Amino acid sequence: MMNQNEGHHNKLKKLYETQKVTLHVLLGLIYSAFIGTQLGRIQAISDFNYTLHELLFLPATLAFYLGPLMFIVYLFLFIKYVKRRGRSRFEIKSAVKAFTIIASIVAILIVVNHQSKEVSTAGIFVLEQKLLVDGEYYLVIDDRHIKVSRNEFQLAEVNKEYLVSFVWNPQSSQNGLLETIEPVK
């Protein structure tokens, strides 16, 4: 016959395993959403297969709706586990895991927040200037330094009109990244 202490230990172990599985599902959801979002930003994937490009954002959509719910479930299970377990000694391994998880989630939130502020600008612009800075090539368009490839840098001519599309972030700088450039006839 199982004594009361063994029964309590088994319930505690089961609760621990449940909250551990919930945490792994939550982290898997968050990390897959982040990776899918980053891959979805790659233009070559969109050019190769647009359906695949759209599917890469599916984990992010799921994380948007299921993430908060999973977090609440995890928090409930964690609090319940800690209450039942009572006070126990501090384990450095658990602290390192917790710090790593929190740091990675904070890093993901910072990156996603920064990327959410990006602006895409397109139109007909006059190329104001060409710059070579530390081996990087830039075209000055609309008072912004737009990073380009060496080939684009060499083909572009100052004071000519171009149909240009570029991405930039007003929070970080006036620098941008060229998407497309075509001369206006």
Side-chain angles (χ1 to χ4, degrees), residues 20-47:
K20 187 174 154 182
V21 167
T22 305
L23 176 63
H24 288 149
V25 170
L26 177 62
L27 292 175
L29 187 64
I30 291 170
Y31 294 147
S32 65
F34 179 70
I35 291 168
T37 302
Q38 296 309 305
L39 290 173
R41 294 169 46 89
I42 299 172
Q43 186 62 39
I45 293 173
S46 177
D47 294 342

Side-chain angles (χ1 to χ4, degrees), residues 37-100:
T37 302
Q38 296 309 305
L39 290 173
R41 294 169 46 89
I42 299 172
Q43 186 62 39
I45 293 173
S46 177
D47 294 342
F48 172 71
N49 186 334
Y50 191 74
T51 304
L52 173 63
H53 165 77
E54 289 298 311
L55 284 174
L56 289 171
F57 290 100
L58 182 62
T61 304
L62 289 172
F64 182 76
Y65 293 105
L66 295 178
L69 178 64
M70 289 295 299
F71 180 72
I72 290 169
V73 169
Y74 170 73
L75 204 56
F76 170 76
L77 291 171
F78 179 75
I79 291 169
K80 188 175 177 181
Y81 171 73
V82 169
K83 280 184 177 181
R84 284 195 181 170
R85 181 187 70 187
R87 291 190 178 257
S88 73
R89 63 184 175 84
F90 175 75
E91 292 184 21
I92 191 77
K93 185 178 175 182
S94 295
V96 170
K97 282 182 185 178
F99 176 77
T100 304

Side-chain angles (χ1 to χ4, degrees), residues 43-182:
Q43 186 62 39
I45 293 173
S46 177
D47 294 342
F48 172 71
N49 186 334
Y50 191 74
T51 304
L52 173 63
H53 165 77
E54 289 298 311
L55 284 174
L56 289 171
F57 290 100
L58 182 62
T61 304
L62 289 172
F64 182 76
Y65 293 105
L66 295 178
L69 178 64
M70 289 295 299
F71 180 72
I72 290 169
V73 169
Y74 170 73
L75 204 56
F76 170 76
L77 291 171
F78 179 75
I79 291 169
K80 188 175 177 181
Y81 171 73
V82 169
K83 280 184 177 181
R84 284 195 181 170
R85 181 187 70 187
R87 291 190 178 257
S88 73
R89 63 184 175 84
F90 175 75
E91 292 184 21
I92 191 77
K93 185 178 175 182
S94 295
V96 170
K97 282 182 185 178
F99 176 77
T100 304
I101 290 168
I102 291 169
S104 67
I105 290 174
V106 167
I108 287 171
L109 290 173
I110 289 170
V111 168
V112 169
N113 180 51
H114 179 76
Q115 290 175 344
S116 70
K117 306 291 193 275
E118 286 183 348
V119 177
S120 180
T121 301
I124 297 176
F125 296 97
V126 174
L127 175 57
E128 300 164 10
Q129 187 179 3
K130 294 166 55 171
L131 300 171
L132 177 60
V133 180
D134 297 328
E136 302 286 336
Y137 298 96
Y138 295 93
L139 301 179
V140 179
I141 299 171
D142 196 32
D143 293 327
R144 289 182 183 81
H145 297 116
I146 310 303
K147 187 174 180 181
V148 297
S149 69
R150 180 176 181 220
N151 189 42
E152 293 160 334
F153 181 82
Q154 290 176 339
L155 291 174
E157 296 178 30
V158 176
N159 294 325
K160 285 191 93 175
E161 283 190 332
Y162 292 93
L163 175 60
V164 180
S165 173
F166 58 93
V167 177
W168 59 287
N169 193 322
Q171 284 188 327
S172 59
S173 69
Q174 290 297 312
N175 293 345
L177 182 61
L178 184 72
E179 289 184 319
T180 61
I181 185 168
E182 295 178 28

